[in-house]
C-alpha cells in the first residue's frame, strides 16, 4: 500500500494483492471471481486470474503490460546502483515504440541460469551436484530444469510437466531440458487479448492440476511460491 502514490506518479496502474487493505481506487485481486486466498503461493498470478475473469474485456488499449513493484520496463538497461526514485520516471517505458507494433508480444531480456556463481550451486544444489558433478565444470549442463530442481525441489518440475496438457507437454519438457535461459519476472506486454486468454486458460488449468500434486502444506520460499515459479 505504501507504494501506491509512487506508482501512480509514474502513470502506471497500481494493483493490490493478497490480504492487505488498499484504497478503493486501486485494482485488487479480492473482488468478483478471484483466488486471492492463494496469493501466498501464486504471487502476482492471483491478479492475472482476477484480470482474466473480471476485467480483461473492459480494457480498451491495444497493448496490455505487466510489471512488478521492484521491476519496471525500460528500453535501455541501467545498473541498479544508478536507479533512484528521482530518475526512475524518466527511464521506464511509457509508450510502445512504433518499430515493435508488428509484434504481438514483448518479453524482457533473458535470464541465463547457467551463469550464476559456483558457490550458489553448491549451497542450493549439493544433492544434484553429488549425483551429477559435471554441472560444476560444464555450464552447458546447467539448463532450466537443473535450475528449477535446485531451487524448488528435485523432480518437482517433471511431476508438473507430466500433468500439462498433451499439446504443450513434450515441447515444454524439451524446452526446460535444452535451454539455459528464460524471460524472468512473469512480465510480458501483449496486444492480443485472444493470446492472453489462451495463455490464461492453459496456465490456470495446469496450475490447478499441479495443486493436486504439491498442495499448500509447503515450506521454504522456493516451494511455497512453486506455482508462481512454474508459471514463470
Amino acid at each position: 500500500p505504501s507504494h501506491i502514490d509512487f506508482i501512480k506518479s509514474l502513470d502506471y496502474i497500481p494493483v493490490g494483492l493478497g490480504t492487505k487493505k488498499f484504497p478503493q481506487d486501486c485494482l485488487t485481486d479480492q473482488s468478483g471471481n478471484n483466488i486471492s486466498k492463494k496469493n501466498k503461493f501464486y504471487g502476482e498470478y492471483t491478479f492475472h486470474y482476477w484480470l482474466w475473469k473480471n476485467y480483461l474485456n473492459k480494457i480498451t488499449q491495444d497493448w496490455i503490460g505487466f510489471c512488478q513493484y521492484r521491476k519496471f520496463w525500460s528500453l535501455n538497461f541501467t545498473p541498479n546502483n544508478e536507479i533512484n526514485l528521482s530518475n526512475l520516471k524518466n527511464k521506464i517505458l511509457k509508450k510502445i515504440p512504433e518499430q515493435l507494433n508488428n509484434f504481438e508480444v514483448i518479453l524482457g531480456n533473458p535470464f541465463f541460469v547457467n551463469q550464476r556463481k559456483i558457490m550458489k550451486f553448491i549451497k542450493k544444489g549439493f544433492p544434484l551436484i553429488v549425483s551429477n558433478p559435471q554441472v560444476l565444470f560444464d555450464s552447458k549442463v546447467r539448463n532450466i530444469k537443473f535450475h528449477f530442481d535446485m531451487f524448488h525441489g528435485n523432480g518437482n518440475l517433471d511431476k508438473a510437466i507430466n500433468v500439462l496438457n498433451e499439446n504443450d507437454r513434450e515441447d515444454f519438457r524439451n524446452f526446460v531440458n535444452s535451454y539455459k535461459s528464460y524471460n524472468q519476472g512473469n512480465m510480458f506486454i501483449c496486444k492480443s487479448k485472444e493470446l492472453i486468454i489462451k495463455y490464461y486458460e492453459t496456465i490456470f488449468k495446469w496450475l490447478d492440476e499441479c495443486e493436486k500434486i504439491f498442495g499448500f502444506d509447503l515450506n521454504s520460499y522456493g516451494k511455497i511460491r512453486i506455482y508462481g515459479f512454474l508459471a514463470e
Side-chain angles (χ1 to χ4, degrees):
S2 62
H3 296 168
I4 287 179
D5 290 339
F6 172 69
I7 294 172
K8 286 182 177 179
S9 75
L10 301 177
D11 297 324
Y12 277 27
I13 300 173
V15 173
L17 303 180
T19 58
K20 292 183 178 181
K21 300 298 182 182
F22 296 92
Q24 288 186 347
D25 61 347
C26 178
L27 296 180
T28 76
D29 62 354
Q30 298 174 15
S31 63
N33 187 346
N34 74 83
I35 55 171
S36 179
K37 64 182 181 180
K38 298 180 182 180
N39 179 256
K40 177 181 177 181
F41 308 94
Y42 272 59
E44 61 266 33
Y45 267 73
T46 57
F47 172 70
H48 282 279
Y49 184 90
W50 179 88
L51 182 78
W52 172 36
K53 294 295 186 179
N54 302 279
Y55 200 76
L56 190 60
N57 289 330
K58 299 178 183 179
I59 297 176
T60 58
Q61 292 92 336
D62 291 336
W63 289 95
I64 302 171
F66 309 90
C67 59
Q68 297 180 351
Y69 74 105
R70 289 182 296 186
K71 294 179 181 178
F72 295 87
W73 292 96
S74 177
L75 293 177
N76 301 297
F77 173 76
T78 304
N80 287 343
N81 61 0
E82 296 180 16
I83 299 175
N84 55 60
L85 297 182
S86 299
N87 65 24
L88 182 62
K89 189 170 185 178
N90 295 324
K91 294 180 179 295
I92 64 171
L93 184 68
K94 294 292 186 67
K95 183 179 180 181
I96 303 299
E98 289 186 9
Q99 63 266 30
L100 296 182
N101 276 326
N102 291 328
F103 296 91
E104 285 188 310
V105 178
I106 300 170
L107 300 174
N109 290 337
F111 170 69
F112 286 86
V113 301
N114 62 337
Q115 296 179 359
R116 308 195 75 168
K117 295 179 179 179
I118 294 297
M119 286 305 300
K120 193 78 170 180
F121 296 127
I122 295 175
K123 182 179 178 181
K124 290 288 187 178
F126 188 74
L128 291 172
I129 293 171
V130 172
S131 63
N132 185 13
Q134 187 181 4
V135 298
L136 283 179
F137 311 103
D138 186 357
S139 63
K140 296 179 182 178
V141 181
R142 301 177 209 145
N143 53 33
I144 295 172
K145 182 184 180 303
F146 167 77
H147 183 269
F148 196 96
D149 285 348
M150 181 172 62
F151 284 94
H152 312 297
N154 190 14
N156 283 341
L157 184 56
D158 281 325
K159 294 176 183 177
I161 292 174
N162 288 339
V163 296
L164 184 59
N165 71 75
E166 189 174 345
N167 289 335
D168 297 317
R169 186 182 306 149
E170 296 312 316
D171 282 344
F172 187 50
R173 195 190 307 276
N174 179 66
F175 171 72
V176 300
N177 281 283
S178 303
Y179 281 72
K180 314 298 187 298
S181 67
Y182 66 99
N183 304 90
Q184 66 171 334
N186 284 316
M187 292 170 57
F188 61 89
I189 304 175
C190 184
K191 68 174 180 181
S192 168
K193 284 186 181 179
E194 292 76 15
L195 194 57
I196 294 178
I197 291 170
K198 184 178 179 180
Y199 171 66
Y200 287 160
E201 288 173 346
T202 299
I203 204 76
F204 286 108
K205 183 177 181 181
W206 180 44
L207 294 180
D208 187 58
E209 292 298 318
C210 290
E211 287 181 14
K212 300 173 185 177
I213 300 172
F214 306 116
F216 296 104
D217 185 17
L218 303 167
N219 52 44
S220 80
Y221 179 76
K223 293 181 180 177
I224 290 173
R225 283 290 181 92
I226 192 169
Y227 302 107
F229 288 119
L230 284 170
E232 185 175 22

